[in-house]
């Protein structure tokens, strides 16, 4: 996997979503499958990675958001807690 320099600040689309969920009383951990701002997040990840896949370093066109620590990893609690952690999200 190519080293990706992540921004020190989480994108506003993630911060706002998390804040909205907390205000509505949505229980933690918040899951990626419920996240409704993927279009904005995809654009941010693509720009951050200079339009290059984190794995093969080819230009990304149609890509998916990859979790460095898998969504369904062996440690279920860790998997759930990292699903919307910005440092765990990449374009591939």
């Amino acid at each position: 996997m190519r080293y990706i320099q992540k921004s020190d600040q989480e994108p506003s689309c993630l911060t706002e979503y998390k804040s909205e969920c907390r205000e509505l009383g949505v229980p933690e951990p918040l899951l990626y499958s419920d996240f409704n701002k993927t279009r904005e997040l995809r654009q941010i990840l693509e720009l951050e990675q200079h339009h290059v896949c984190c794995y093969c370093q080819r230009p990304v066109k149609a890509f998916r958001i990859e979790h460095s620590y898998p969504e369904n990893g062996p440690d279920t609690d860790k998997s759930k807690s990292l699903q919307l952690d910005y440092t765990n999200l990449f374009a591939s």
Side-chain angles (χ1 to χ4, degrees):
M1 181 177 204
R2 176 181 181 214
Y3 175 75
I4 306 295
Q5 178 66 45
K6 301 296 279 182
S7 171
D8 292 336
Q9 189 170 0
E10 178 179 77
S12 61
C13 62
L14 276 172
T15 305
E16 291 167 5
Y17 176 76
K18 291 174 182 180
S19 178
E20 290 168 7
C21 287
R22 287 184 187 110
E23 287 175 16
L24 293 171
V26 176
E28 299 274 345
L30 301 175
L31 303 179
Y32 178 77
S33 60
D34 299 326
F35 181 61
N36 61 5
K37 299 180 180 187
T38 54
R39 177 177 284 163
E40 188 176 344
L41 181 59
R42 289 171 64 84
Q43 291 172 340
I44 292 166
L45 292 173
E46 185 177 10
L47 287 172
E48 178 178 67
Q49 292 178 209
H50 307 285
H51 309 280
V52 174
C53 172
C54 65
Y55 293 122
C56 68
Q57 300 181 31
R58 292 183 183 157
V60 291
K61 294 177 184 163
F63 68 91
R64 61 172 296 185
I65 295 176
E66 182 72 27
H67 293 77
S68 181
Y69 191 87
E71 289 176 83
N72 298 310
D75 183 338
T76 308
D77 291 335
K78 184 176 181 179
S79 291
K80 288 181 179 178
S81 69
L82 291 176
Q83 284 190 19
L84 287 178
D85 183 322
Y86 181 60
T87 62
N88 192 45
L89 303 173
F90 299 90
S92 70

